[in-house]
Amino acid sequence: MTDLRTPDGEPAELPVLTVAHLSDTHLTSAGTLYNNVVDADLALDRAAAVLEQAAADGRPIDVVVVSGDLTDTGDPDAYRRLRSRLEGIAPQIIWATGNHDVRAEFHRSLLGRTEDGPVLQVVRLPQLRIVVLDSTIVGAGHGRLEPGHLAELTAELAEPHPGGSVVVLHHAPLPPPSPLLTYFALERESRRALAAALAGTDVRLVLAGHHHLAGSGMLGTVPVAVAGSTAIRTDPLARPGHERTTRSGSFNLVRFYDDGHTVSVIPVDGAEQVFDLDPAAAAAVIDAHPVNQVG
Ligand SMILES: [Fe+2]
Ligand SMILES: [Fe+2]
């Protein structure tokens, strides 16, 4: 990697783990458009192509997290297409289920499991533990965390991980940005219970989806990063009472460092490049801006 120069002579900070956090891919059955308008496979392909190009350019992704509403109606073929498009992008792909998924089919297609109830997934990497919750209620759009499921989470978190932990769930545990999302929100009691379960643990960050709008907030003392949908975007500034959606996709790039993390929203809607400085050109800009030595 090119040496990076800092203004104070400190070593450049490099991430110990890079996560691509995708959400709400909403892959439909063949021949059906999402919301009758959007080709969700094409939208996913745009995000996947960005990640493949990044890896080819020397920016590999360590983990892909997809935080639910993977499919629009739980079609087994949609799960197959999703897996097929994303496998190979990162050594580890982590799936969460959403209200548009069908739990039994999600378990069968992506986890290779047969349980009827919510499954707590735990992935322990050297740098980070990733714990995935199921916030769905069979047959409903809103979210809930069952007490037994939260008890499993509490038991898992009782033993800290050397790199700390991340919790993934579909229904964002934050105030929702629109009227429909207000109705289809995570139940407030579940939000409070999750905050209590995470307080004092090694959880560094919560990753969620469902809002179709990238955003961030706090759940008690724990930061929450919400990834937008790869296909559409909710407009939080629509007229009060209106639900307004735009054809616009994004994902989040989450970088973990020894002592913190960053979350960057990466739009994948074809914005025009302004410039791309090569290392020599970047060095020329740096050389033109010498650091003032204040005595
Ligand atoms: Fe969704
Ligand atoms: Fe959802």
Side-chain angles (χ1 to χ4, degrees):
M1 172 174 289
T2 310
D3 281 345
L4 297 172
R5 288 160 60 184
T6 70
D8 48 12
E10 297 264 343
E13 297 160 283
L14 298 173
V16 297
L17 193 78
T18 300
V19 175
H21 175 199
L22 282 62
S23 199
D24 294 84
T25 46
H26 281 273
L27 294 196
T28 54
S29 299
T32 306
L33 293 173
Y34 176 41
N35 285 321
N36 300 315
V37 176
V38 178
D39 185 332
D41 282 78
L42 204 59
L44 169 67
D45 189 61
R46 278 195 287 270
V50 167
L51 295 169
E52 285 167 342
Q53 185 61 51
D57 288 343
R59 296 272 188 200
I61 301 296
D62 299 308
V63 179
V64 172
V65 170
V66 197
S67 58
D69 283 358
L70 311 172
T71 68
D72 202 42
T73 57
D75 183 339
D77 186 60
Y79 287 112
R80 186 196 56 73
R81 298 197 315 271
L82 178 67
R83 182 199 284 277
S84 147
R85 186 62 190 92
L86 291 182
E87 68 187 358
I89 285 182
Q92 184 84 49
I93 303 186
I94 290 172
W95 315 101
T97 188
N99 52 293
H100 276 264
D101 292 300
V102 171
R103 180 183 282 157
E105 195 53 50
F106 166 77
H107 283 176
R108 194 185 70 76
S109 292
L110 294 180
L111 305 189
R113 301 178 68 147
T114 56
E115 285 94 327
D116 289 336
V119 165
L120 186 86
Q121 301 177 65
V122 182
V123 176
R124 295 180 189 85
L125 304 173
Q127 308 93 327
L128 191 71
R129 169 173 55 184
I130 302 172
V131 183
V132 184
L133 298 171
D134 180 339
S135 59
T136 66
I137 306 165
V138 172
H142 70 289
R144 179 183 300 152
L145 295 167
E146 298 288 353
H149 198 45
L150 282 169
E152 288 182 289
L153 172 69
T154 297
E156 174 60 35
L157 296 178
E159 183 76 29
H161 182 276
S165 300
V166 161
V167 168
V168 179
L169 76 165
H170 177 64
H171 292 85
L174 292 175
S178 74
L180 291 185
L181 289 164
T182 298
Y183 182 69
F184 293 120
L186 184 68
E187 291 178 354
R188 297 287 279 281
E189 180 50 36
S190 291
R191 201 202 299 178
R192 285 189 283 268
L194 182 60
L198 302 188
T201 68
D202 68 351
V203 173
R204 302 167 61 170
L205 178 64
V206 173
L207 301 179
H210 186 58
H211 286 179
H212 299 181
L213 177 68
S216 63
M218 296 294 289
L219 179 67
T221 56
V222 180
V224 178
V226 181
S229 164
T230 50
I232 60 172
R233 174 165 50 83
T234 299
D235 184 354
L237 298 177
R239 232 180 301 169
H242 286 237
E243 188 78 24
R244 193 160 66 190
T245 287
T246 305
R247 184 200 299 268
S248 171
S250 70
F251 64 86
N252 284 358
L253 185 68
V254 187
R255 287 165 159 161
F256 291 92
Y257 297 82
D258 283 332
D259 59 353
H261 69 264
T262 61
V263 179
S264 305
V265 180
I266 311 293
V268 283
D269 41 17
E272 180 188 355
Q273 180 177 289
V274 176
F275 57 73
D276 177 3
L277 302 181
D278 66 15
V285 172
I286 290 169
D287 289 342
H289 295 79
V291 174
N292 290 325
Q293 299 298 325
V294 179

